[in-house]
């Protein structure tokens, strides 16, 4: 039997292996990515993305932090605020993730890799790695940015306690037009109130 050419292997078939590898390296990042997928898809459904578009969004969300596999443990697992040089290193995860996905050489790899590269761009152009702004940032990246930010702030990690829902929403709304797409944020505010992943304000 001839081996299946790399360009005929669906990227979805590689997803499980890559996410298992990420989970082995950092369980918190793996579970965070799983939640980001769910939140991002809820927002994607709300803005009426097609089934194919939702599939691409889910792949980008699942892989958005994949590049953290290439970040040293001393930084990835640090239970305190980063020094400037450590932040510089951590920011490389977007580029590392892009390179890992491109290495798969599948049909959808290029588009998914682009989404991963740009999920930390900011709407006002102050993000990284390329300082894209506004709608030049891929739509899926802008959606993932919102889902990622919400989950990162509500989840309890070694270096911070999870914030309550209302506090997180106040922060997100203060970042409208700065970090986040205002139109998507407006939609997100509706979606998250009904989401099973909404963090309680009490308890």
């Amino acid at each position: 039997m001839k081996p299946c050419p790399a360009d005929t292997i669906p990227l979805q078939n590689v997803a499980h292996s890559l996410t298992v590898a990420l989970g082995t390296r950092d369980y918190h990042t793996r579970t965070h990515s799983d939640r980001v997928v769910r939140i991002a898809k809820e927002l994607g459904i709300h803005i009426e993305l097609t089934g194919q578009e939702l599939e691409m969004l889910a792949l980008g969300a699942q892989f958005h932090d994949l590049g953290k596999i290439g970040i040293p443990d001393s930084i990835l697992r640090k239970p305190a605020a980063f020094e400037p040089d450590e932040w510089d290193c951590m920011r490389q995860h977007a580029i590392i993730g892009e390179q890992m996905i491109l290495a798969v050489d599948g049909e959808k790899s290029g588009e998914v890799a682009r989404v991963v590269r740009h999920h930390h761009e900011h709407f006002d152009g102050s993000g990284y790695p390329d300082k894209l702004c506004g709608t030049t940032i891929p739509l899926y990246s802008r959606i993932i940015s919102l889902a990622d930010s919400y989950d990162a702030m509500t989840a309890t990690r070694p270096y911070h306690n999870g914030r309550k829902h209302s506090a997180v929403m106040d922060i997100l709304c203060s970042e409208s037009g700065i970090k986040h797409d205002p139109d998507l944020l407006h939609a997100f505010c509706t979606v998250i109130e009904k989401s099973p992943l909404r963090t309680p304000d009490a308890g």
Side-chain angles (χ1 to χ4, degrees):
M1 180 181 295
K2 293 182 178 180
C4 184
D7 61 1
T8 69
I9 301 173
L11 188 58
Q12 297 95 316
N13 290 6
V14 185
H16 181 69
S17 295
L18 291 176
T19 52
V20 167
L22 179 59
T24 301
R25 179 72 194 286
D26 182 18
Y27 175 77
H28 290 293
T29 298
R30 164 69 190 279
T31 55
H32 161 71
S33 295
D34 290 342
R35 292 190 299 270
V36 169
V37 170
R38 292 170 61 190
I39 296 171
K41 287 185 71 175
E42 289 173 359
L43 180 53
I45 290 168
H46 181 78
I47 64 172
E48 300 183 341
L49 295 184
T50 66
Q52 186 175 6
E53 289 169 337
L54 288 170
E55 179 183 332
M56 292 298 298
L57 173 62
L59 285 170
Q62 190 68 65
F63 293 144
H64 79 281
D65 273 344
L66 182 63
K68 289 184 177 179
I69 290 176
I71 303 300
D73 280 347
S74 59
I75 296 174
L76 188 63
R77 302 177 186 275
K78 185 177 179 180
F82 291 147
E83 298 297 330
D85 61 326
E86 293 171 329
W87 267 120
D88 289 342
C89 180
M90 179 58 83
R91 290 188 182 104
Q92 292 299 308
H93 82 272
I95 297 172
I96 296 170
E98 175 196 35
Q99 293 170 342
M100 292 178 69
I101 296 166
L102 287 174
V104 175
D105 196 27
E107 179 184 356
K108 302 173 183 176
S109 297
E111 185 174 0
V112 175
R114 182 169 176 261
V115 171
V116 169
R117 180 182 179 91
H118 297 304
H119 76 278
H120 278 298
E121 305 285 3
H122 292 177
F123 202 73
D124 69 352
S126 64
Y128 65 90
D130 298 315
K131 297 191 180 298
L132 301 185
C133 64
T135 56
T136 63
I137 303 168
L139 172 61
Y140 304 147
S141 301
R142 284 177 273 144
I143 293 173
I144 292 166
S145 175
L146 275 165
D148 181 32
S149 294
Y150 182 83
D151 188 74
M153 287 190 282
T154 56
T156 295
R157 298 295 297 272
Y159 47 84
H160 74 73
N161 292 322
R163 295 182 172 97
K164 295 179 180 179
H165 171 78
S166 59
V168 171
M169 295 309 297
D170 285 346
I171 293 170
L172 291 180
C173 289
S174 74
E175 296 172 333
S176 178
I178 301 171
K179 183 175 181 179
H180 300 298
D181 180 325
D183 293 333
L184 286 178
L185 177 58
H186 180 75
F188 179 81
C189 289
T190 299
V191 168
I192 198 63
E193 292 301 328
K194 302 175 183 178
S195 173
L197 291 172
R198 180 192 186 280
T199 296
D201 274 319

